[in-house]
Amino acid sequence: MAVATEGARLSIRGAGKRYGDLQAIADVTFDVGRNTILSIVGPSGCGKTTLLWSMSGLHGLSEGQVLLDGQAITGPHPEIGLVFQEANLLPWRNLMQNILFPWEVKRQKPDMAWIDHLVDRVGLKGFETRMPRELSGGMQQRASIVRALSLRPSVLLMDEPFGALDAFTREEMNRLVEEIWLETKTTIVFITHSIEEAIFLSDRVLVLSKRPGRVMADYPVPFPRPRSLETMASREVFDLTNRIKADIYGQTSLRAAAE
Amino acid sequence: MRDAIPEFNKSQPGGGVGLSGVSLAAGTGTRTRKEIAIILLVAVVVIGGLEVLLRWFEVPHYILPPPSAIAAALVKEFPLLLPHLRDTLICLFAGFGIGASIGLILAAVVTQKPFVEKVITPYILILVTTPMLALVPLLILRFGFGYTPRIIAVALAAGPMVMINAATGFRRTDSAKIALARSYGASVLQIFWKIRAPMALPMILVGLMIGAIFGLLTCVGAEMVGGGFGLGNRLTTYSSMINMPEFFAVIMILSIMGIVLYVLFFLIGKKWASWET
């Protein structure tokens, strides 16, 4: 029986997932600290999404397990919220009906005070009755974040949530996630293709290898929050970016230059 | 009424059989006064022109009666036609109700199991492509001249159309949306009602519309084959007596029924399925 590390919120122990002959991830082990943000970066097809879906309990692992506070996760868990690639709103429901969808599924009376606060917080007040197609990509993704946060999950898993957005909107959304984290201190696992985004948001960045995905590097990101433009333009951030790039592209010359 | 001719060329991926690409949300917004005036003017010119031409060339009534004679016959005969209209509506609604319900349930069940769907689909295709009118003489032999053979024929014509289009709708699964529901602990039934059914709704409505129109067609055809009642029976009666204005009056009623069915589903589509456009 695997044992969780003290103080870890989530523990991934020897996680492996096979689809037929295809080994998507292999022997992935790491912990996610309580109230921290951890980002996972890696080349396309390295099994990042597979890993995250396993952590959410949406599908099982072939080997190993995921522990939440020491308890193995076997299915969708009420403490865990999931934000999907693109917004994944239901197009036949208006914005508020989309946000209330989880409450409807759970047959619970929604916490409207908290939901209204969140809607206001992400700047969607006044758009509650709009249909998703009437909203910009950024607004849709903000609605989906509100949907995930409305149930007050203590762990939020985000699967490349801003990949489809333009660079400006993306930076705006990163600030929003940072602000939400500062307010709620939700433990967040964030999957992204953008190293900059990973460094901006995270307390730690994990680098996954090519398929089958394994943890090949684990970098702490010690910069103080909120992270300003100056911090993000600093030498340390630049060096860290290059090291992660070197890991992903396997370009040792870049790594040597950084070190 | 309607703003545009439905688009029959827009085929759906993995589309159903029949006119499965019919757009239910072809609305192009409001019309201006000028447009309404032009539409009315064209109608007056076409109908009036027909009237004038038919009288000018002294076309005999048994070939094509002038519009005024058809209108007069419609007014005069309408009280006599009313019970027949009722009979036709009973057959249409009963047959369509039965056929559409079975079609919808079959589609929902069958699409849950791809293998079952593969086994069943060929038979449904046969039902869709065979004109059910051909069965009517046989049905009359077995069930007599009452409502029963007609209702069965309408159900056989409408049901498979509904089923094949609804199945196309139910097959359009979006794994991300289902994963979303599952992540909140949704049951299989909740996933069906809250994700699969609304996603399939636009195609279901297309199926219902085509099914209703095919049902009307089959209903009138079955009435022409046998039995002493129904609008189809009036058509054969009037034409055998060469009562052409009355014959065309019945045709008018039938085309109005068809248009009403179309508009009904068009409006339902606009209300419940407009998110797709």
Side-chain angles (χ1 to χ4, degrees):
Chain A
M1 184 73 192
V3 180
T5 313
E6 193 76 22
R9 195 68 226 281
L10 273 171
S11 302
I12 288 75
R13 290 281 166 271
K17 178 80 181 170
R18 270 188 315 272
Y19 297 101
D21 300 338
L22 187 87
Q23 183 87 31
I25 52 173
D27 196 25
V28 174
T29 297
F30 64 94
D31 292 316
V32 186
R34 193 171 295 277
N35 308 339
T36 63
I37 305 184
L38 174 111
S39 284
I40 300 173
V41 297
S44 293
C46 71
K48 299 189 293 285
T49 296
T50 301
L51 180 60
L52 200 80
W53 280 42
S54 303
M55 291 165 72
S56 75
L58 272 176
H59 57 49
L61 287 164
S62 313
E63 300 112 28
Q65 55 185 340
V66 177
L67 305 169
L68 177 72
D69 298 327
Q71 297 287 315
I73 288 180
T74 51
H77 194 284
E79 287 288 312
I80 299 176
L82 189 53
V83 175
F84 291 81
Q85 281 177 22
E86 294 170 5
N88 203 12
L89 297 180
L90 306 176
W92 53 87
R93 287 167 168 253
N94 70 26
L95 191 141
M96 187 47 90
Q97 291 167 336
N98 263 291
I99 291 170
L100 296 179
F101 177 72
W103 298 84
E104 217 179 287
V105 169
K106 288 175 181 290
R107 296 197 178 87
Q108 284 173 18
K109 204 170 161 293
D111 182 351
M112 286 315 293
W114 171 239
I115 290 169
D116 286 337
H117 167 74
L118 286 172
V119 168
D120 191 29
R121 187 73 196 67
V122 303
L124 287 173
K125 209 181 181 69
F127 292 94
E128 288 91 341
T129 56
R130 298 297 185 92
M131 299 304 278
R133 66 169 186 279
E134 300 175 289
L135 304 171
S136 70
M139 290 168 99
Q140 291 189 25
Q141 194 51 278
R142 275 182 273 166
S144 92
I145 290 172
V146 172
R147 175 174 63 190
L149 287 175
S150 77
L151 290 159
R152 296 179 191 267
S154 57
V155 175
L156 191 61
L157 307 176
M158 303 179 83
D159 183 9
E160 276 181 53
F162 311 135
L165 302 179
D166 64 84
F168 296 118
T169 313
R170 192 172 186 143
E171 275 182 32
E172 201 186 302
M173 300 297 294
N174 288 343
R175 300 229 167 259
L176 184 70
V177 171
E178 184 184 47
E179 284 169 22
I180 287 170
W181 181 80
L182 289 170
E183 186 184 324
T184 62
K185 289 283 159 56
T186 308
T187 305
I188 297 177
V189 179
F190 194 97
I191 282 184
T192 178
H193 273 125
S194 160
I195 296 167
E196 191 192 345
E197 187 171 72
I199 293 175
F200 175 79
L201 282 174
S202 315
D203 298 298
R204 252 167 82 206
V205 177
L206 289 190
V207 183
L208 284 198
S209 65
K210 269 189 285 205
R211 195 166 58 226
R214 298 168 200 272
V215 179
M216 63 183 293
D218 182 347
Y219 297 101
V221 186
F223 314 118
R225 291 177 195 275
R227 287 172 186 163
S228 62
L229 281 175
E230 290 77 55
T231 310
M232 289 309 290
S234 69
R235 175 76 207 197
E236 288 81 3
V237 168
F238 180 74
D239 286 347
L240 182 56
T241 308
N242 282 338
R243 286 164 128 205
I244 296 172
K245 274 188 185 161
D247 288 335
I248 292 173
Y249 303 125
Q251 290 170 340
T252 43
S253 55
L254 249 177
R255 171 178 270 174
E259 285 166 354
Chain B
M1 272 202 306
R2 59 190 232 189
D3 291 300
I5 292 161
E7 296 160 36
F8 291 112
N9 53 352
K10 237 175 49 178
S11 64
Q12 296 282 338
V17 173
L19 314 172
S20 63
V22 179
S23 165
L24 278 161
T28 48
T30 49
R31 262 185 239 95
T32 63
R33 238 160 226 244
K34 199 177 153 198
E35 282 174 327
I36 293 172
I38 291 173
I39 289 167
L40 287 176
L41 189 73
V42 169
V44 168
V45 168
V46 169
I47 296 170
L50 199 61
E51 178 86 29
V52 170
L53 284 174
L54 289 172
R55 289 184 187 280
W56 183 269
F57 290 106
E58 294 175 346
V59 177
H61 272 202
Y62 59 81
I63 291 180
L64 187 59
S68 62
I70 296 173
L74 185 61
V75 172
K76 189 170 77 44
E77 292 288 302
F78 195 71
L80 290 173
L81 288 173
L82 212 54
H84 296 282
L85 174 62
R86 197 204 57 188
D87 292 330
T88 302
L89 286 175
I90 288 173
C91 287
L92 179 61
F93 284 129
F96 177 70
I98 294 167
S101 308
I102 295 174
L104 277 179
I105 293 168
L106 261 183
V109 171
V110 152
T111 44
Q112 300 288 315
K113 296 258 177 281
F115 177 71
V116 178
E117 197 185 344
K118 269 184 202 137
V119 173
I120 282 188
T121 303
Y123 303 99
I124 301 297
L125 274 176
I126 290 171
L127 286 176
V128 165
T129 49
T130 310
M132 283 306 139
L133 262 180
L135 284 183
V136 171
L138 180 77
L139 290 171
I140 288 176
L141 266 182
R142 174 67 186 76
F143 296 102
F145 286 101
Y147 287 125
T148 318
R150 301 174 181 190
I151 290 174
I152 293 173
V154 172
L156 281 173
M161 278 293 173
V162 174
M163 194 229 142
I164 212 107
N165 282 288
T168 306
F170 284 123
R171 233 181 284 122
R172 292 197 309 191
T173 49
D174 182 333
S175 55
K177 290 184 174 55
I178 289 169
L180 171 81
R182 280 186 50 218
S183 78
Y184 297 119
S187 64
V188 174
L189 217 60
Q190 278 181 317
I191 289 172
F192 178 81
W193 284 114
K194 293 185 188 297
I195 307 286
R196 286 184 200 273
M199 241 167 124
L201 189 64
M203 285 308 292
I204 290 175
L205 287 174
V206 169
L208 289 176
M209 182 174 82
I210 298 168
I213 289 173
F214 268 69
L216 177 63
L217 210 84
T218 307
C219 187
V220 174
E223 286 167 348
M224 292 171 80
V225 175
F229 59 93
L231 289 176
N233 168 264
R234 288 296 92 190
L235 284 178
T236 40
T237 309
Y238 286 138
S239 66
S240 67
M241 298 191 298
I242 324 187
N243 280 347
M244 282 303 129
E246 287 78 5
F247 178 88
F248 278 99
V250 176
I251 300 263
M252 286 282 295
I253 295 174
L254 289 174
S255 56
I256 288 167
M257 282 171 70
I259 290 169
V260 167
L261 285 175
Y262 177 88
V263 170
L264 186 74
F265 286 110
F266 174 77
L267 292 178
I268 295 173
K270 209 164 179 170
K271 175 117 178 61
W272 296 105
S274 59
W275 54 268
E276 227 195 4
T277 47

